[in-house]
Amino acid sequence: MVNDWLDVALSCGADGVHLGQGDLQVHEARARAPREFIIGASVSCAADAILAVQHGADYVAASPVFPTASKTRCGSRLWHRRNQAIKRAVDVPVVAIGGIGLHNVQEVLEAGADGIAVISAVVGATGHHSRRS
């Protein structure tokens, strides 16, 4: 999956694109992409989710779950209520995003997320690797 950029996703052979609320509209992406191409959309409420699905979204992402550097007005309780409303409104997977890492992923899944998306947990991760001589 490529975040935000349909042209990049199509040109590199990605399975799909995730569109934020300020990105290309779902219906525009669906018109330009093959049917099997996965399109996800960030939503903030059930009405947004319904519209995204009507326009061709294969899944929606309810965000943010936890505060992040760019989104501080949120929290797992607020997300849980919003997630439940979105899940009742649409028949596509509802993915959680925002401040999720190893320390809280289980809580998010137990709260009803169909899946999770992470950025900072991957980009900011420090790993150990070894070199072979």
Side-chain angles (χ1 to χ4, degrees):
M1 297 294 291
V2 171
N3 193 35
D4 298 335
W5 298 99
L6 176 65
D7 293 340
V8 172
L10 291 171
S11 66
C12 74
D15 291 331
V17 68
H18 181 83
L19 301 171
Q21 292 182 322
D23 297 330
L24 183 69
Q25 297 294 310
V26 171
H27 68 277
E28 294 171 306
R30 182 54 67 204
R32 294 174 46 198
R35 182 59 199 132
E36 66 277 1
F37 192 77
I38 301 166
I39 298 176
S42 292
V43 300
S44 58
C45 63
D48 290 347
I50 291 168
L51 187 61
V53 171
Q54 287 173 343
H55 288 167
D58 297 297
Y59 73 88
V60 295
S63 69
V65 181
F66 300 103
T68 66
S70 62
K71 296 173 181 152
T72 56
R73 197 174 163 189
C74 58
S76 62
R77 287 189 184 134
L78 174 62
W79 177 84
H80 181 68
R81 286 193 305 263
R82 189 175 41 201
N83 181 56
Q84 294 307 311
I86 291 169
K87 285 179 70 84
R88 285 191 300 272
V90 296
D91 289 326
V92 299
V94 179
V95 174
I97 190 169
I100 301 168
L102 289 175
H103 64 287
N104 59 15
V105 67
Q106 192 62 39
E107 174 187 345
V108 174
L109 294 173
E110 288 172 359
D114 295 311
I116 61 155
V118 296
I119 297 170
S120 59
V122 173
V123 174
T126 57
H128 300 282
H129 63 280
S130 61
R131 292 186 184 173
R132 293 188 177 180
S133 340

